[in-house]
Amino acid sequence: MSSIPPLRNSPPHHPSVPGGSSSSTPAVPRRGHVEFVGDRHALVSALRRGDEGAAAALFHEYAPLVERTIARILGVDNDLPDAMQEVFLRALRSVHHLRDPQALTDWLLQITVYTSTDWIRKRTRKRWLLFSDPVTLEHPANDSVDETGREALRATYAVLDRMSIEERTVFALRYIDGMELAQLAVACDCSLATIKRRLSRASARFEALAKREPALEPWLAERNTGVPAKEAES
Amino acid sequence: MRLTDLGEYVAAVQDAERERRQLTNGAAERYIAAVRRKPRRNPLPLLLAAAFLSVVALTTVVVLRRAERPIETATLTSPAIVGRPFVAPKDQSIPVSFPDGSRLVLASGTHASVKELSAQGAKIALERGKAQMSVVHHALTNYALHAGPYQVSVIGTRFELEWIPERDRFELWLAEGSVVVTIDLGSHAAVRMQASDHLVIDHGHWQLNSNNSPVEPQTAPLLPVAPPAAQSLPKAGSATDATAADSANEVTNAPPNWLRLSRLGKYESAYNEAERLNIATLAQSGSAPTLLTLAEVCRFSGHGSNAMLVLTKLRQRFPNTEEAAVAAFQLGRLASSAQHAASFFQKYLNERPSGALAREASGRLLEALDRSGDPQGAIRAARTYLDQYPNGPHAAFAKRVLGN
């Protein structure tokens, strides 16, 4: 029986650098894997050619960012995978419009924001047509998210649901995702001044609506403890 | 209203929810299927495109046809391999190579599967058997091996792991680097291992042989390992907001039950007690040192979102204190995104530039900036780190950042 040699007494080994090779590594066939990570120009060129491997690599690299961004804007619900797929399909359809491959991330982020806002409009129309209740998180029996957190999450998105799409988007990306203002302006395809104005309105609106949500009370202004006034939001 | 604090908290909870619901499992496969269905706009000669697609399609068909059979031969991990079981034959070990050059070798008879794959790493489940892992370290490296209730978190190292579920026996030999083994047996705990360490956990009883010096096995059931000294609580007295609850306990010389349980390392029981009293209420009324302990109870019992709530409340109620600065550091460790993490570590450094955690915060800030896609910020942080800590644990990483 062949077994792997014990590690404890073996000499130090330096794992091979990506792209290099080790003489002790058996030859391994590479099937269906296209190396595009980090090489934006090659990836974009291949996408324009309709290369399926490049399409897969695009998904592979950007799926976490896209999924997270959609979740911040929409909340976590069953639409997430479909919205995510739509982002990437839209990207493939419009990749010929991308002039600078180095701007791939920003460009994909813009598509993500557009798709998410479209999804909200579609969801709003559907609810209006079907007279259905807003989507709420499931409350599973065996969960890793405690009750306090779940309530705060539900309440936050309940408030966001009552805001305009533009204000909701900038609020979610700025405060929940922690996006910097400059990147937020690029993602929303508007000027920094516009983003700041939108954010100011969004913050005021959120604070006013949040008073109706008891789960958000811990984050309301301290009134009784004498703690100094909170820092101004930057 | 502290909108950034709320946002950070909600982000952590949301990320945990996404992780739990796994809504996007299988999304890659559905996307590729949709890509194939869409009409093509291909300027290349049709013959070349058709030839390339035939190769891809044939390869994909071969992979899909083998979907029901476990993988028994050496293969390169690709998105199509995710979720499929690996089974090493009885007389053969199989190597698995990852795109970044990391390698996993499964001993004969071992069962494993790759649960997730990304450009930064993978999540691998060892169902049974023995595996050797050799991980190439990058700024973003993130591998995790799961074996039963145990998880080995890896960013760049070499080790051998054996998991025998029938005997409830977990054994890990670490050759190089360091790993953190997370143990979730009701009481969430972690063991940090260094090179040459050997860890055995047999039916919940653990033995850590460090540098070939055997440690007496624990006869009691598994207890959580105390957090490292660098993160120990600062001395009390820096914040004076002793509350009625604390005062009452001081008078009677009887700390709250949850506090006593936490000092025994029984974090899960401590959390249950604290939750019975309502975590939010405790966060609203406890002293700063108490809140730090409460946050640790939440964290070590696997309730990260409540830990963030408590730490956030601490910073609101006791600003500019030692405990508030430590809370910022802990929030950085808990943060779900690199941007948030960087923000918190920077806050610690702003508030306590010479604090006990300053070196660690500087190193983690550097890592977070690098992960968050802020190359200029990372370069500045790397220079600052090397100026202050030329021989620190993150010095090599800082040099790599500057080299890139």
Side-chain angles (χ1 to χ4, degrees), chain B residues 185-235:
Chain B
L185 288 171
S187 185
H188 199 73
V191 177
R192 182 177 292 279
M193 297 175 65
Q194 305 296 330
S196 303
D197 281 355
H198 172 208
L199 174 68
V200 176
I201 308 175
D202 200 324
H203 291 89
H205 296 272
W206 65 275
Q207 177 176 344
L208 178 65
N209 294 326
S210 188
N211 292 325
N212 297 318
S213 302
V215 173
E216 285 300 317
Q218 298 290 314
T219 54
L222 187 73
L223 291 176
V225 177
Q231 297 161 35
S232 58
L233 296 180
K235 288 189 177 176

Short mmCIF file of all heavy atoms in Angstrom, two decimals, chain B residues 185-235:
data_model
loop_
_atom_site.label_atom_id
_atom_site.label_comp_id
_atom_site.label_asym_id
_atom_site.label_seq_id
_atom_site.Cartn_x
_atom_site.Cartn_y
_atom_site.Cartn_z
N LEU B 185 -17.12 22.37 20.04
CA LEU B 185 -17.79 21.24 20.70
C LEU B 185 -18.75 21.79 21.72
O LEU B 185 -18.71 21.47 22.89
CB LEU B 185 -16.75 20.35 21.39
CG LEU B 185 -15.89 19.51 20.47
CD1 LEU B 185 -14.76 18.85 21.23
CD2 LEU B 185 -16.74 18.44 19.79
N GLY B 186 -19.61 22.70 21.29
CA GLY B 186 -20.52 23.34 22.24
C GLY B 186 -19.85 24.54 22.86
O GLY B 186 -20.40 25.62 22.93
N SER B 187 -18.62 24.37 23.30
CA SER B 187 -17.84 25.49 23.82
C SER B 187 -16.79 25.85 22.78
O SER B 187 -15.87 25.11 22.54
CB SER B 187 -17.19 25.10 25.13
OG SER B 187 -16.54 26.20 25.70
N HIS B 188 -16.99 26.97 22.14
CA HIS B 188 -16.14 27.35 21.01
C HIS B 188 -14.75 27.70 21.51
O HIS B 188 -14.61 28.51 22.41
CB HIS B 188 -16.78 28.57 20.34
CG HIS B 188 -16.32 28.80 18.96
ND1 HIS B 188 -16.70 28.02 17.90
CD2 HIS B 188 -15.49 29.73 18.45
CE1 HIS B 188 -16.14 28.47 16.79
NE2 HIS B 188 -15.41 29.50 17.08
N ALA B 189 -13.70 27.10 20.96
CA ALA B 189 -12.36 27.35 21.46
C ALA B 189 -11.39 27.28 20.31
O ALA B 189 -11.73 26.84 19.21
CB ALA B 189 -11.99 26.32 22.53
N ALA B 190 -10.16 27.73 20.55
CA ALA B 190 -9.16 27.73 19.49
C ALA B 190 -7.81 27.43 20.08
O ALA B 190 -7.50 27.80 21.21
CB ALA B 190 -9.14 29.09 18.79
N VAL B 191 -6.98 26.74 19.30
CA VAL B 191 -5.61 26.42 19.69
C VAL B 191 -4.69 26.96 18.62
O VAL B 191 -4.88 26.66 17.43
CB VAL B 191 -5.40 24.89 19.82
CG1 VAL B 191 -3.95 24.60 20.15
CG2 VAL B 191 -6.32 24.31 20.87
N ARG B 192 -3.72 27.77 19.01
CA ARG B 192 -2.76 28.26 18.04
C ARG B 192 -1.53 27.37 18.10
O ARG B 192 -0.96 27.17 19.17
CB ARG B 192 -2.38 29.70 18.34
CG ARG B 192 -1.42 30.31 17.34
CD ARG B 192 -1.12 31.77 17.66
NE ARG B 192 -2.29 32.61 17.47
CZ ARG B 192 -2.68 33.07 16.28
NH1 ARG B 192 -2.01 32.77 15.19
NH2 ARG B 192 -3.75 33.82 16.19
N MET B 193 -1.13 26.87 16.95
CA MET B 193 0.02 25.95 16.91
C MET B 193 1.17 26.60 16.15
O MET B 193 0.95 27.32 15.15
CB MET B 193 -0.37 24.65 16.22
CG MET B 193 -1.45 23.87 16.96
SD MET B 193 -1.97 22.42 16.03
CE MET B 193 -0.48 21.43 16.03
N GLN B 194 2.38 26.29 16.61
CA GLN B 194 3.59 26.76 15.93
C GLN B 194 4.30 25.58 15.31
O GLN B 194 3.94 24.43 15.56
CB GLN B 194 4.52 27.47 16.94
CG GLN B 194 3.87 28.61 17.71
CD GLN B 194 3.45 29.74 16.79
OE1 GLN B 194 4.06 29.97 15.75
NE2 GLN B 194 2.40 30.44 17.15
N ALA B 195 5.32 25.89 14.52
CA ALA B 195 6.07 24.83 13.83
C ALA B 195 6.59 23.80 14.84
O ALA B 195 7.03 24.16 15.92
CB ALA B 195 7.22 25.45 13.05
N SER B 196 6.51 22.55 14.47
CA SER B 196 6.94 21.39 15.25
C SER B 196 5.94 20.98 16.33
O SER B 196 6.18 20.03 17.06
CB SER B 196 8.32 21.60 15.91
OG SER B 196 9.27 21.91 14.96
N ASP B 197 4.85 21.69 16.47
CA ASP B 197 3.83 21.30 17.45
C ASP B 197 3.07 20.08 16.94
O ASP B 197 2.94 19.85 15.74
CB ASP B 197 2.83 22.44 17.69
CG ASP B 197 3.36 23.50 18.62
OD1 ASP B 197 4.48 23.31 19.15
OD2 ASP B 197 2.68 24.52 18.81
N HIS B 198 2.54 19.34 17.89
CA HIS B 198 1.77 18.14 17.57
C HIS B 198 0.54 18.15 18.47
O HIS B 198 0.66 18.17 19.69
CB HIS B 198 2.64 16.90 17.83
CG HIS B 198 1.88 15.62 17.71
ND1 HIS B 198 2.25 14.49 18.41
CD2 HIS B 198 0.81 15.26 16.96
CE1 HIS B 198 1.42 13.51 18.13
NE2 HIS B 198 0.54 13.94 17.24
N LEU B 199 -0.63 18.18 17.87
CA LEU B 199 -1.89 18.26 18.62
C LEU B 199 -2.68 16.99 18.41
O LEU B 199 -2.86 16.52 17.28
CB LEU B 199 -2.71 19.45 18.13
CG LEU B 199 -4.13 19.60 18.70
CD1 LEU B 199 -4.08 19.94 20.18
CD2 LEU B 199 -4.90 20.68 17.94
N VAL B 200 -3.15 16.41 19.53
CA VAL B 200 -4.05 15.25 19.47
C VAL B 200 -5.29 15.59 20.28
O VAL B 200 -5.18 16.05 21.41
CB VAL B 200 -3.38 13.98 20.05
CG1 VAL B 200 -4.39 12.82 20.05
CG2 VAL B 200 -2.16 13.60 19.26
N ILE B 201 -6.45 15.35 19.69
CA ILE B 201 -7.70 15.51 20.43
C ILE B 201 -8.45 14.19 20.32
O ILE B 201 -8.85 13.77 19.23
CB ILE B 201 -8.57 16.64 19.88
CG1 ILE B 201 -7.76 17.94 19.79
CG2 ILE B 201 -9.79 16.87 20.78
CD1 ILE B 201 -8.49 19.08 19.14
N ASP B 202 -8.58 13.50 21.45
CA ASP B 202 -9.15 12.15 21.46
C ASP B 202 -10.38 12.16 22.35
O ASP B 202 -10.25 12.36 23.57
CB ASP B 202 -8.11 11.17 21.99
CG ASP B 202 -8.43 9.74 21.59
OD1 ASP B 202 -9.63 9.41 21.56
OD2 ASP B 202 -7.49 8.98 21.32
N HIS B 203 -11.55 12.00 21.74
CA HIS B 203 -12.81 12.05 22.49
C HIS B 203 -12.89 13.29 23.36
O HIS B 203 -13.30 13.23 24.53
CB HIS B 203 -12.95 10.80 23.37
CG HIS B 203 -13.17 9.56 22.56
ND1 HIS B 203 -12.13 8.78 22.09
CD2 HIS B 203 -14.32 8.96 22.12
CE1 HIS B 203 -12.63 7.76 21.39
NE2 HIS B 203 -13.95 7.83 21.40
N GLY B 204 -12.49 14.42 22.80
CA GLY B 204 -12.62 15.68 23.51
C GLY B 204 -11.47 15.98 24.46
O GLY B 204 -11.40 17.08 25.00
N HIS B 205 -10.58 15.03 24.70
CA HIS B 205 -9.43 15.28 25.56
C HIS B 205 -8.25 15.64 24.67
O HIS B 205 -7.93 14.90 23.73
CB HIS B 205 -9.09 14.04 26.39
CG HIS B 205 -10.20 13.67 27.33
ND1 HIS B 205 -10.29 14.18 28.61
CD2 HIS B 205 -11.27 12.87 27.18
CE1 HIS B 205 -11.37 13.69 29.21
NE2 HIS B 205 -11.98 12.89 28.36
N TRP B 206 -7.58 16.74 24.98
CA TRP B 206 -6.54 17.22 24.06
C TRP B 206 -5.16 17.13 24.68
O TRP B 206 -4.99 17.19 25.90
CB TRP B 206 -6.84 18.65 23.63
CG TRP B 206 -6.78 19.67 24.73
CD1 TRP B 206 -7.79 19.99 25.57
CD2 TRP B 206 -5.67 20.49 25.09
NE1 TRP B 206 -7.38 20.97 26.44
CE2 TRP B 206 -6.09 21.30 26.18
CE3 TRP B 206 -4.37 20.60 24.61
CZ2 TRP B 206 -5.24 22.20 26.77
CZ3 TRP B 206 -3.54 21.53 25.22
CH2 TRP B 206 -3.96 22.31 26.28
N GLN B 207 -4.20 16.97 23.81
CA GLN B 207 -2.79 16.96 24.22
C GLN B 207 -2.01 17.73 23.17
O GLN B 207 -2.04 17.40 22.00
CB GLN B 207 -2.27 15.54 24.31
CG GLN B 207 -0.78 15.46 24.66
CD GLN B 207 -0.32 14.04 24.86
OE1 GLN B 207 -1.12 13.13 25.02
NE2 GLN B 207 0.98 13.83 24.82
N LEU B 208 -1.30 18.76 23.61
CA LEU B 208 -0.49 19.55 22.69
C LEU B 208 0.96 19.36 23.07
O LEU B 208 1.39 19.76 24.15
CB LEU B 208 -0.87 21.03 22.78
CG LEU B 208 -0.04 21.97 21.89
CD1 LEU B 208 -0.28 21.67 20.42
CD2 LEU B 208 -0.38 23.43 22.18
N ASN B 209 1.71 18.70 22.18
CA ASN B 209 3.15 18.55 22.36
C ASN B 209 3.82 19.69 21.63
O ASN B 209 3.77 19.77 20.40
CB ASN B 209 3.63 17.21 21.80
CG ASN B 209 3.06 16.06 22.59
OD1 ASN B 209 2.86 16.15 23.79
ND2 ASN B 209 2.77 14.97 21.91
N SER B 210 4.47 20.54 22.43
CA SER B 210 5.06 21.73 21.82
C SER B 210 6.56 21.59 21.86
O SER B 210 7.13 21.37 22.93
CB SER B 210 4.62 22.97 22.60
OG SER B 210 5.01 24.12 21.93
N ASN B 211 7.23 21.67 20.70
CA ASN B 211 8.68 21.53 20.61
C ASN B 211 9.15 20.24 21.25
O ASN B 211 10.12 20.20 22.00
CB ASN B 211 9.39 22.71 21.28
CG ASN B 211 9.17 23.99 20.50
OD1 ASN B 211 9.09 23.97 19.29
ND2 ASN B 211 8.99 25.08 21.22
N ASN B 212 8.40 19.18 21.01
CA ASN B 212 8.73 17.84 21.48
C ASN B 212 8.70 17.69 22.99
O ASN B 212 9.25 16.77 23.54
CB ASN B 212 10.11 17.39 20.97
CG ASN B 212 10.10 17.31 19.47
OD1 ASN B 212 9.14 16.83 18.89
ND2 ASN B 212 11.13 17.82 18.84
N SER B 213 8.07 18.64 23.68
CA SER B 213 7.92 18.47 25.12
C SER B 213 6.50 18.06 25.40
O SER B 213 5.58 18.85 25.23
CB SER B 213 8.22 19.80 25.84
OG SER B 213 9.51 20.24 25.53
N PRO B 214 6.27 16.80 25.77
CA PRO B 214 4.88 16.36 25.95
C PRO B 214 4.18 17.15 27.04
O PRO B 214 4.78 17.51 28.06
CB PRO B 214 5.01 14.88 26.35
CG PRO B 214 6.40 14.51 26.02
CD PRO B 214 7.21 15.76 26.07
N VAL B 215 2.90 17.41 26.81
CA VAL B 215 2.07 18.08 27.81
C VAL B 215 1.13 17.03 28.37
O VAL B 215 0.62 16.21 27.65
CB VAL B 215 1.28 19.23 27.16
CG1 VAL B 215 0.28 19.82 28.12
CG2 VAL B 215 2.24 20.30 26.67
N GLU B 216 0.90 17.04 29.66
CA GLU B 216 -0.02 16.08 30.27
C GLU B 216 -1.39 16.21 29.66
O GLU B 216 -1.91 17.32 29.52
CB GLU B 216 -0.11 16.33 31.77
CG GLU B 216 1.11 15.86 32.56
CD GLU B 216 1.31 14.36 32.37
OE1 GLU B 216 0.31 13.61 32.42
OE2 GLU B 216 2.45 13.95 32.17
N PRO B 217 -2.01 15.13 29.26
CA PRO B 217 -3.36 15.23 28.68
C PRO B 217 -4.34 15.73 29.73
O PRO B 217 -4.18 15.48 30.92
CB PRO B 217 -3.68 13.79 28.26
CG PRO B 217 -2.74 12.95 29.03
CD PRO B 217 -1.55 13.74 29.34
N GLN B 218 -5.32 16.47 29.23
CA GLN B 218 -6.37 16.96 30.11
C GLN B 218 -7.30 15.81 30.46
O GLN B 218 -7.74 15.09 29.59
CB GLN B 218 -7.16 18.06 29.40
CG GLN B 218 -6.32 19.28 29.03
CD GLN B 218 -5.90 20.07 30.22
OE1 GLN B 218 -6.72 20.34 31.08
NE2 GLN B 218 -4.64 20.42 30.29
N THR B 219 -7.60 15.67 31.73
CA THR B 219 -8.53 14.61 32.12
C THR B 219 -9.95 15.12 32.08
O THR B 219 -10.89 14.35 32.01
CB THR B 219 -8.22 14.12 33.54
OG1 THR B 219 -8.20 15.26 34.41
CG2 THR B 219 -6.86 13.46 33.57
N ALA B 220 -10.13 16.41 32.16
CA ALA B 220 -11.48 16.97 32.10
C ALA B 220 -11.88 17.12 30.64
O ALA B 220 -11.03 17.10 29.75
CB ALA B 220 -11.49 18.33 32.79
N PRO B 221 -13.15 17.27 30.37
CA PRO B 221 -13.56 17.53 29.01
C PRO B 221 -12.91 18.81 28.48
O PRO B 221 -12.42 19.62 29.26
CB PRO B 221 -15.09 17.72 29.12
CG PRO B 221 -15.46 16.98 30.34
CD PRO B 221 -14.30 17.09 31.27
N LEU B 222 -12.93 18.95 27.16
CA LEU B 222 -12.19 20.01 26.51
C LEU B 222 -12.59 21.36 27.06
O LEU B 222 -13.76 21.70 27.16
CB LEU B 222 -12.48 19.98 25.00
CG LEU B 222 -11.66 20.93 24.17
CD1 LEU B 222 -10.24 20.43 24.08
CD2 LEU B 222 -12.25 21.05 22.78
N LEU B 223 -11.59 22.15 27.43
CA LEU B 223 -11.85 23.49 27.91
C LEU B 223 -11.33 24.47 26.89
O LEU B 223 -10.31 24.21 26.25
CB LEU B 223 -11.15 23.74 29.24
CG LEU B 223 -11.68 22.97 30.45
CD1 LEU B 223 -10.83 23.26 31.66
CD2 LEU B 223 -13.14 23.33 30.72
N PRO B 224 -11.97 25.61 26.76
CA PRO B 224 -11.47 26.59 25.81
C PRO B 224 -10.08 27.06 26.22
O PRO B 224 -9.78 27.16 27.41
CB PRO B 224 -12.47 27.74 25.90
CG PRO B 224 -13.68 27.15 26.54
CD PRO B 224 -13.19 26.05 27.42
N VAL B 225 -9.23 27.35 25.23
CA VAL B 225 -7.90 27.87 25.50
C VAL B 225 -8.03 29.37 25.75
O VAL B 225 -8.74 30.06 25.04
CB VAL B 225 -6.98 27.62 24.29
CG1 VAL B 225 -5.61 28.22 24.51
CG2 VAL B 225 -6.87 26.12 24.06
N ALA B 226 -7.33 29.87 26.75
CA ALA B 226 -7.41 31.30 27.07
C ALA B 226 -6.86 32.10 25.91
O ALA B 226 -5.95 31.65 25.22
CB ALA B 226 -6.64 31.59 28.35
N PRO B 227 -7.37 33.27 25.67
CA PRO B 227 -6.84 34.10 24.58
C PRO B 227 -5.39 34.44 24.85
O PRO B 227 -4.97 34.43 26.00
CB PRO B 227 -7.74 35.34 24.60
CG PRO B 227 -8.43 35.33 25.91
CD PRO B 227 -8.47 33.93 26.39
N PRO B 228 -4.61 34.72 23.80
CA PRO B 228 -3.19 35.04 23.96
C PRO B 228 -2.97 36.24 24.87
O PRO B 228 -3.85 37.08 25.01
CB PRO B 228 -2.71 35.35 22.54
CG PRO B 228 -3.72 34.73 21.65
CD PRO B 228 -5.01 34.73 22.40
N ALA B 229 -1.78 36.32 25.47
CA ALA B 229 -1.50 37.35 26.46
C ALA B 229 -1.68 38.74 25.89
O ALA B 229 -2.11 39.66 26.55
CB ALA B 229 -0.08 37.18 27.00
N ALA B 230 -1.30 38.91 24.60
CA ALA B 230 -1.40 40.24 24.00
C ALA B 230 -2.79 40.79 24.03
O ALA B 230 -3.01 41.97 23.95
CB ALA B 230 -0.87 40.21 22.57
N GLN B 231 -3.76 39.91 24.11
CA GLN B 231 -5.12 40.38 24.08
C GLN B 231 -5.78 40.30 25.44
O GLN B 231 -6.98 40.39 25.55
CB GLN B 231 -5.94 39.54 23.09
CG GLN B 231 -5.42 39.67 21.68
CD GLN B 231 -5.88 38.54 20.81
OE1 GLN B 231 -6.98 38.05 20.97
NE2 GLN B 231 -5.03 38.10 19.91
N SER B 232 -4.98 40.12 26.46
CA SER B 232 -5.60 40.04 27.78
C SER B 232 -6.16 41.39 28.16
O SER B 232 -5.74 42.43 27.67
CB SER B 232 -4.57 39.58 28.82
OG SER B 232 -3.49 40.49 28.82
N LEU B 233 -7.11 41.37 29.06
CA LEU B 233 -7.80 42.59 29.41
C LEU B 233 -6.85 43.56 30.09
O LEU B 233 -6.03 43.16 30.92
CB LEU B 233 -8.96 42.28 30.35
CG LEU B 233 -10.07 41.41 29.76
CD1 LEU B 233 -11.14 41.17 30.79
CD2 LEU B 233 -10.66 42.05 28.53
N PRO B 234 -6.94 44.84 29.79
CA PRO B 234 -6.15 45.82 30.53
C PRO B 234 -6.63 45.91 31.96
O PRO B 234 -7.73 45.46 32.28
CB PRO B 234 -6.42 47.13 29.78
CG PRO B 234 -7.72 46.91 29.10
CD PRO B 234 -7.82 45.45 28.80
N LYS B 235 -5.75 46.48 32.80
CA LYS B 235 -6.11 46.54 34.21
C LYS B 235 -7.31 47.44 34.38
O LYS B 235 -7.47 48.45 33.71
CB LYS B 235 -4.94 47.08 35.02
CG LYS B 235 -3.82 46.08 35.13
CD LYS B 235 -2.77 46.55 36.10
CE LYS B 235 -1.70 45.48 36.21
NZ LYS B 235 -0.61 45.88 37.06
#
